[in-house]
Amino acid sequence: MSAPLLEVRGVTRRYRMPREALLRSPPVLTAVNDVSFVLERGQTLGVVGESGSGKSTLARMIMAFEAPDEGAVLFEGQDINRLGAAALRQARQRFQMVFQDPFGSLDPRRTVAWSIAEPLRVMRAEGIDRRIAEALDQVGLRARDGEKYPHEFSGGQRQRIAIARAIVTRPALLVADEAVSALDVSVQAQILNLLMDLQEDLGLAMVFISHDLAVVACICDQMLVMRHGDCVEFGDTAGIVARPRHDYTRSLLVASGI
Amino acid sequence: MPRLPVNLIIGAVLVSLVVGVAALSLVWTPHDHVAMNVRGRFQGPSDLYWLGTDQLGRDVVSQLMVAARNSMTVALVAVLIGGSIGVVLGLFASAVGGWVEDLVMRIADIGFAFPALLFAIMLSAVFGPSLTIAVAAIAFINIPVFARVSRASANQIWTREYVAAARAAGQGKLAISRDHILPNIAAPVIVQATIEFAVAILAEAALSYLGLGAQPPSPSWGRMLSEAQTLMFMAPQLAIYPGLCIVLAVLGFSLLGDGLRDITDPRLSRSRRA
Amino acid sequence: MMELDRVSVAFGEALALREASLRIEAGARLGIVGESGCGKSMLGLCLMGMVPDAAVVSGAIRLNGRDLAGASEAVWRRHRARDVAMIFQEPMAALNPLSRIGDTVMEPLLVHEGLSRAEARDRAIALFEEVGIPEPAARLRQYPHEISGGQRQRVLIALALTCNPGLLVADEPTTALDANVALRIIELLVRLSETRNMALVFISHDLAAVARATQTIAVMYGGDVVERGPTAQVLSAPRHPYTIGLLGARPGLGDRGRGADGRRRRLVTIPGNVPPLFDLPAGCRFSGRCSQEIAQCAGTRPVAHVLDGGQEASCHLLAPAAPGRAGAVT
């Protein structure tokens, strides 16, 4: 049996806070505390928690934007924090990210095609134009939309562009950090459906991070509930929705139902 | 259509006037600016000499025009050199971060604290006074200014999601600085450059006034001012004209810079927020 | 208590609000739902007389029977805080970061009510207790950044209550808050409305929040009120295609999972995007995105059809003579 696609092994991340008094050592905030999980190819994992629960820090560690203080993130069996700079850059094609803010995740001064092609240029891929057109088509946009600038699109369309950029390298893992939170409900449903399509058609594994338990429940096989940096509950989505074991999960369930 | 701020309009008019006159001097001046007319010294304004002549009988208008060109050239070259070095340093500090950033910025602070005139006098003492020295001195004092502005703006851009997306795409820090950071800090850097242009004009005038800038016979507002100083009671107008030119040019670029900042970054604006 | 009678708000050619009519009874709780750009915030501003200067307002805005649509700023200011008060989405932005929260809350008491400092302080403490802020006396001395987002929103609610308004307009009051905290704020608003007999207009894009907070609901799209009625009834049996789509698009906790083909069940979607204000169709604003569109939708504006139980929906399909009447879709 080969290594799982993604294994997060006991990661902990602490931040030093600004010093409060001159002679006292600065307080330490534990943003993520000893979180572990395994994600197989093609599976979806939802990470639910409120602001400050550490879910975005977890995403940043999976993306190797920052290294854990303890524990390790293993992607296809390799500890991504032990890769050299060049090897990490090559490895990044295999795990990509979609961000929360559809207005902030695209450089306003670059055309859509330029932004989508960015990861391809890094890997010196061939047939860039064809692959841009293909990615735009996969997210339901037209090839000629590539010539436009981000401000010419609505929030939902921009999120489609961001998704096109994330899948253009044909990654095995997509990390979506609050990817639908900033969208209107009707548009949010379109993007969720698109993510489900891509996930099933391309065999993508996904780490889907959201504060909204209902959104996570509709797209994820497994769910990890975080609070103050701790993992309070982890298991099958259906099981957790039907029989939450932790009070906190229960309160999130109450809050997200009509 | 939002209304343009008043300072931008006034600044733009003054700047186009000064720059226009400086450009015009390349192809045309009413008289040869170095031609002396010993019998026609200290003439008042006339049809022939619009603003009269100076102590050597040279046409004041022609001298002011060529001096404008010299002043613009010095300011442009100095701001370009100082600005480029400063922006590169700022981008570098912001991209690397950590103790390197601290080190670069502390050095910039020291540069800030160093009086520019003192530096120019030092250089002149070593290399002899010349326009090149003046340009080098003004360029040097611009480096920390631009390093600060570009680092502060770059640090903001580094927190944007599209930069994180570029990192996720596998882009290195150099490529991100070039492709994303530089184009997006252009606006504040251009604003700063406009304001520094005003400072450079003033610095050039001051250095020339002290005899450390443009050397005769090349005219300069600052030197015209210092030469006129000794004749203050005989021909006060000779001091007033170059002084007025300095004021208008500095005011023009300052207002233009302020105005540009108001429209590019409304948060820093004082006048437009109710 | 307050009534909007065919109120339109125009920015040049674009209508942010098109002949919207609403009645707010004393002590009643009304929800306004819709997506971004549907005009719900503009409606809230109409109730406060705070429509931007660039806009042209027509129709009647009646407060206790008196039309204030064309009233001056000075007239409106007499009514704000006393008759209608408002709270906003971002509690940090609405509080002065440099002044202690006690001073912020006491200021209107000192200025408008002419109380002494000691009286104002007692009133502020009583208000903090009423909105559920623990240790109110200690809180008075704190600054906005020292308290949590939920507590800040409570402070703003206390501030809105200082002059005992008959109507509180809450514009997305829970959007910036975590789900649990949002629930507590909704409970507080409902309780305050009941104990004080204060009307509440709760504006939100969040159907779950509106469902909890209100008795009646108005669904807005493109500047129109497209459907209204008792909240529970509208949400369980929506009749306007937009309301139906909006409810379907919302990921619920019900049986999602996978279909028979092993693929995950998809959400119901409304195609396209919310169009910008200046690019709305002339007839029904929802035409162009509606799955049940018929010939007259794009050109003719539908009238509101009164349905059972006080529900109303503006859709051509609900006209008695319409082909294939809508409503069967739930």
Side-chain angles (χ1 to χ4, degrees):
Chain A
M1 182 70 202
S2 64
L5 180 72
L6 176 71
E7 183 177 358
V8 171
R9 208 181 269 169
V11 292
T12 297
R13 180 80 175 110
R14 300 184 192 91
Y15 292 108
R16 202 168 282 230
M17 303 295 280
R19 205 177 274 270
E20 280 168 358
L22 188 62
L23 297 176
R24 226 173 288 154
S25 60
V28 170
L29 173 86
T30 306
V32 175
N33 185 24
D34 193 19
V35 171
S36 301
F37 63 85
V38 170
L39 184 67
E40 299 291 347
R41 286 176 179 74
Q43 293 280 300
T44 46
L45 169 78
V47 180
V48 195
E50 308 196 321
S51 55
S53 63
K55 57 191 195 302
S56 286
T57 305
L58 182 65
R60 294 177 60 78
M61 287 192 287
I62 296 171
M63 289 304 297
F65 289 155
E66 50 191 271
D69 295 315
E70 283 162 31
V73 178
L74 280 73
F75 184 77
E76 295 178 327
Q78 278 184 309
D79 185 341
I80 52 172
N81 291 298
R82 297 220 173 148
L83 293 175
L88 177 61
R89 261 192 242 174
Q90 282 304 309
R92 282 193 183 282
Q93 297 155 29
R94 305 273 299 141
F95 53 98
Q96 286 287 324
M97 185 159 181
V98 180
F99 298 87
Q100 169 172 11
D101 180 7
F103 293 87
S105 64
L106 296 167
D107 190 333
R109 290 177 193 273
R110 300 288 179 183
T111 63
V112 163
W114 192 98
S115 288
I116 294 175
E118 192 164 34
L120 295 177
R121 282 194 302 274
V122 172
M123 59 192 260
R124 304 212 164 77
E126 302 199 341
I128 288 185
D129 288 344
R130 184 181 45 78
R131 289 179 67 173
I132 294 171
E134 190 183 290
L136 282 169
D137 180 60
Q138 280 173 320
V139 299
L141 293 170
R142 288 162 305 184
R144 67 164 186 273
D145 287 332
E147 295 153 26
K148 297 189 198 164
Y149 285 87
H151 70 261
E152 298 175 62
F153 295 92
S154 68
Q157 288 170 317
R158 284 187 213 205
Q159 210 57 315
R160 286 176 191 271
I161 295 165
I163 293 169
R165 174 177 55 192
I167 60 168
V168 77
T169 58
R170 300 175 188 134
L173 171 68
L174 195 64
V175 177
D177 186 4
E178 299 277 13
V180 299
S181 308
L183 304 174
D184 280 320
V185 178
S186 68
V187 180
Q188 171 180 308
Q190 294 172 13
I191 300 296
L192 284 172
N193 284 352
L194 171 66
L195 287 171
M196 290 186 231
D197 289 343
L198 294 172
Q199 197 245 320
E200 285 169 1
D201 297 343
L202 307 178
L204 273 174
M206 204 164 10
V207 175
F208 191 94
I209 294 164
S210 177
H211 69 280
D212 188 341
L213 201 143
V215 168
V216 167
C218 97
I219 194 168
C220 295
D221 307 306
Q222 291 182 303
M223 194 189 300
L224 189 153
V225 183
M226 287 187 76
R227 187 184 196 192
H228 303 324
D230 294 317
C231 167
V232 298
E233 193 150 357
F234 176 62
D236 278 353
T237 303
I240 289 181
V241 170
R243 291 173 303 279
R245 280 199 298 268
H246 198 281
D247 280 347
Y248 180 68
T249 316
R250 214 163 288 136
S251 72
L252 284 180
L253 277 167
V254 170
S256 62
I258 284 195
Chain B
M1 182 64 197
R3 266 182 57 224
L4 291 174
V6 181
N7 48 5
L8 182 76
I9 296 167
I10 298 176
V13 168
L14 284 176
V15 165
S16 16
L17 195 75
V18 174
V19 172
V21 165
L24 182 65
S25 78
L26 285 171
V27 291
W28 178 83
T29 51
H31 299 269
D32 183 356
H33 70 275
V34 287
M36 289 183 259
N37 177 357
V38 185
R39 274 171 304 175
R41 294 158 60 196
F42 300 118
Q43 282 185 18
S46 65
D47 285 350
L48 191 59
Y49 299 107
W50 297 339
L51 293 177
T53 59
D54 68 0
Q55 68 278 14
L56 297 174
R58 296 172 297 193
D59 177 36
V60 171
V61 172
S62 304
Q63 287 207 69
L64 288 174
M65 284 173 70
V66 177
R69 185 219 300 166
N70 286 341
S71 182
M72 292 302 112
T73 315
V74 169
L76 186 70
V77 174
V79 171
L80 272 183
I81 294 175
S84 310
I85 299 175
V87 168
V88 169
L89 277 178
L91 286 177
F92 170 76
S94 175
V96 177
W99 65 268
V100 177
E101 180 175 11
D102 286 343
L103 182 72
V104 171
M105 295 329 288
R106 289 302 83 75
I107 293 174
D109 285 346
I110 295 171
F112 240 123
F114 208 79
L117 271 179
L118 195 65
F119 184 70
I121 292 168
M122 258 169 54
L123 282 185
S124 308
V126 179
F127 300 104
S130 76
L131 203 59
T132 322
I133 293 300
V135 171
I138 299 170
F140 182 79
I141 57 164
N142 268 306
I143 295 174
V145 177
F146 281 92
R148 262 195 187 179
V149 168
S150 51
R151 171 195 161 256
S153 310
N155 279 354
Q156 270 181 25
I157 306 292
W158 273 102
T159 65
R160 299 284 162 85
E161 284 192 342
Y162 56 78
V163 171
R167 286 180 69 191
Q171 289 272 41
K173 288 189 164 176
L174 180 70
I176 291 176
S177 293
R178 182 194 62 214
D179 291 348
H180 296 286
I181 311 290
L182 187 58
N184 283 293
I185 66 167
V189 167
I190 289 169
V191 168
Q192 193 64 42
T194 315
I195 292 168
E196 288 308 308
F197 213 92
V199 176
I201 292 169
L202 199 60
E204 188 273 336
L207 290 176
S208 296
Y209 178 86
L210 296 175
L212 303 176
Q215 299 301 308
S218 180
S220 149
W221 291 335
R223 219 187 53 255
M224 289 170 76
L225 202 59
S226 78
E227 284 169 3
Q229 197 183 18
T230 50
L231 311 162
M232 208 43 203
F233 296 102
M234 220 167 118
Q237 77 277 9
L238 291 182
I240 290 170
Y241 295 140
L244 208 58
C245 285
I246 295 171
V247 168
L248 288 181
V250 170
L251 191 67
F253 278 100
S254 299
L255 288 176
L256 183 67
D258 274 355
L260 285 176
R261 180 168 56 200
D262 287 355
I263 55 172
T264 55
D265 191 353
R267 280 170 305 150
L268 295 176
S269 161
R270 285 151 294 168
S271 53
R272 296 201 335 139
R273 273 266 160 117
Chain C
M1 186 222 156
M2 196 155 188
E3 187 182 15
L4 296 185
D5 189 2
R6 280 179 293 163
V7 173
S8 298
V9 175
F11 290 88
E13 294 288 292
L15 281 177
L17 211 55
R18 181 168 69 164
E19 298 190 350
S21 299
L22 278 181
R23 279 178 64 87
I24 302 152
E25 309 290 348
R29 301 193 305 277
L30 167 69
I32 315 269
V33 282
E35 299 181 286
S36 58
C38 71
K40 58 188 192 297
S41 287
M42 192 53 67
L43 200 144
L45 294 178
C46 281
L47 295 172
M48 290 295 290
M50 299 202 304
V51 177
D53 289 341
V56 180
V57 183
S58 56
I61 303 172
R62 283 188 211 99
L63 177 64
N64 297 322
R66 185 173 166 212
D67 185 6
L68 293 172
S72 66
E73 177 69 13
V75 172
W76 269 110
R77 277 180 59 185
R78 282 205 294 278
H79 294 290
R80 280 181 213 143
R82 288 192 183 81
D83 295 311
V84 283
M86 192 165 186
I87 56 172
F88 300 92
Q89 175 174 346
E90 202 30 82
M92 193 65 203
L95 285 169
N96 180 353
L98 296 181
S99 94
R100 295 179 199 276
I101 57 181
D103 291 338
T104 305
V105 174
M106 281 155 65
E107 188 188 288
L109 295 168
L110 296 168
V111 176
H112 294 302
E113 309 272 298
L115 299 184
S116 71
R117 266 200 87 78
E119 288 168 333
R121 190 167 178 280
D122 290 345
R123 276 281 291 281
I125 291 176
L127 280 167
F128 276 15
E129 269 167 5
E130 190 180 355
V131 299
I133 295 175
E135 298 174 61
R139 289 284 177 274
L140 289 176
R141 297 193 51 77
Q142 289 188 306
Y143 288 94
H145 70 267
E146 296 177 312
I147 57 176
S148 69
Q151 294 298 321
R152 270 182 224 135
Q153 196 58 287
R154 285 176 196 265
V155 169
L156 281 180
I157 294 170
L159 185 60
L161 296 179
T162 46
C163 299
N164 302 312
L167 167 66
L168 179 65
V169 180
D171 188 1
E172 301 270 11
T174 57
T175 307
L177 304 174
D178 285 330
N180 284 317
V181 181
L183 268 182
R184 301 287 97 78
I185 295 291
I186 291 171
E187 286 166 7
L188 171 67
L189 289 172
V190 170
R191 185 167 48 93
L192 289 171
S193 163
E194 283 168 353
T195 54
R196 288 174 160 254
N197 193 32
M198 173 181 75
L200 175 70
V201 171
F202 190 97
I203 302 170
S204 180
H205 71 283
D206 183 353
L207 288 164
V210 174
R212 284 204 174 80
T214 64
Q215 300 153 321
T216 56
I217 191 171
V219 182
M220 294 193 66
Y221 184 83
D224 281 359
V225 175
V226 295
E227 182 159 10
R228 76 177 86 206
T231 304
Q233 187 181 333
V234 170
L235 295 183
S236 61
R239 302 293 296 275
H240 194 283
Y242 175 67
T243 319
I244 296 167
L246 198 60
L247 280 161
R250 199 182 166 277
L253 290 172
D255 178 34
R256 286 287 162 207
R258 291 171 189 275
D261 55 354
R263 288 171 74 88
R264 214 166 260 291
R265 298 226 172 86
R266 299 296 190 260
L267 295 160
V268 178
T269 61
I270 302 172
N273 297 290
V274 181
L277 274 185
F278 52 82
D279 199 19
L280 290 166
C284 174
R285 299 299 202 198
F286 193 49
S287 63
R289 293 184 77 190
C290 181
S291 59
Q292 305 181 48
E293 196 166 330
I294 52 174
Q296 62 259 49
C297 290
T300 318
R301 185 177 179 198
V303 294
H305 297 281
V306 180
L307 309 162
D308 296 339
Q311 197 172 347
E312 275 179 39
S314 306
C315 177
H316 289 301
L317 295 171
L318 296 171
R325 293 185 48 168
V329 197
T330 36

